[in-house]
Amino acid sequence: AQGNKLRKMEELCQQVGKFKDTIRSQETVIKRLEGLLEGALRKGQAAAAEQAKLDKKDMGAKDEELEEARAELARVREELEETTAELASAQAAKEAAEDEKLQLSMRVTKAEAKVAATTNQLVEASKRAAKEMASLKTRLAEKDAQLMGGFGDFSKFALDEMG
């Protein structure tokens, strides 16, 4: 039963590693999306600046160029909105992954504590069993000695040795 618990805890630790890898890959995706957003923002700002220049120009500027600039500005704004939505979605996914990572981390900590407690219990049980075995061996030796006539009187033992 304790071996099963230990195996389950090890499997849980492996799952945590997989979750960490997933979080890293999501962070990479988020960084790329942030880069895209910054690029789109720069394009949008450049287009807005261009629009402002066009607006300040003489009213005699070509209507065609003005329409192209406005169309470009509209495309850049649309791209910016799409990139912003993608970034928000990626950030929500990152937060969810971080929450899951925290929960798994807490589960791992709890599992490690259980493993430590189980290990301590096994060590204590082994010590008790060894102590009991030593006691039983001593009692067995005493009983064997009694069956074989015992150790005898110590004073006789000393006299027999001298004589």
Side-chain angles (χ1 to χ4, degrees), residues 138-152:
T138 302
R139 287 179 56 200
L140 180 62
E142 289 172 355
K143 293 294 179 182
D144 283 347
Q146 284 178 353
L147 289 174
M148 295 176 73
F151 292 111

Side-chain angles (χ1 to χ4, degrees), residues 16 19-20 23 94-110:
V16 168
F19 286 121
K20 286 180 180 179
I23 288 170
K94 179 182 177 184
E95 289 173 7
E98 287 174 353
D99 287 345
E100 187 173 353
K101 178 183 174 183
L102 178 61
Q103 290 174 357
L104 288 172
S105 178
M106 290 179 355
R107 285 176 60 191
V108 165
T109 302
K110 185 177 178 181

Side-chain angles (χ1 to χ4, degrees), residues 25 35 66 114 133:
S25 67
L66 183 59
K114 283 183 181 180
M133 283 176 50

Side-chain angles (χ1 to χ4, degrees), residues 8-79:
K8 286 180 184 178
M9 295 305 156
E10 290 172 345
E11 290 172 1
L12 183 61
C13 288
Q14 290 173 350
Q15 286 179 340
V16 168
K18 290 178 184 178
F19 286 121
K20 286 180 180 179
D21 291 341
T22 301
I23 288 170
R24 281 188 209 106
S25 67
Q26 287 178 348
E27 287 174 346
T28 303
V29 168
I30 288 170
K31 285 180 183 176
R32 277 193 238 141
L33 288 173
E34 287 172 344
L36 288 173
L37 179 61
E38 288 175 10
L41 181 61
R42 282 192 296 270
K43 284 182 182 179
Q45 289 172 342
E50 188 66 30
Q51 181 67 39
K53 285 180 186 178
L54 289 173
D55 289 341
K56 289 180 181 178
K57 275 189 175 180
D58 187 21
M59 292 300 253
K62 294 180 182 178
D63 288 337
E64 188 176 308
E65 289 179 20
L66 183 59
E67 287 303 315
E68 287 177 13
R70 286 183 179 156
E72 176 65 20
L73 179 60
R75 281 192 299 272
V76 169
R77 284 181 178 162
E78 188 176 307
E79 185 179 330

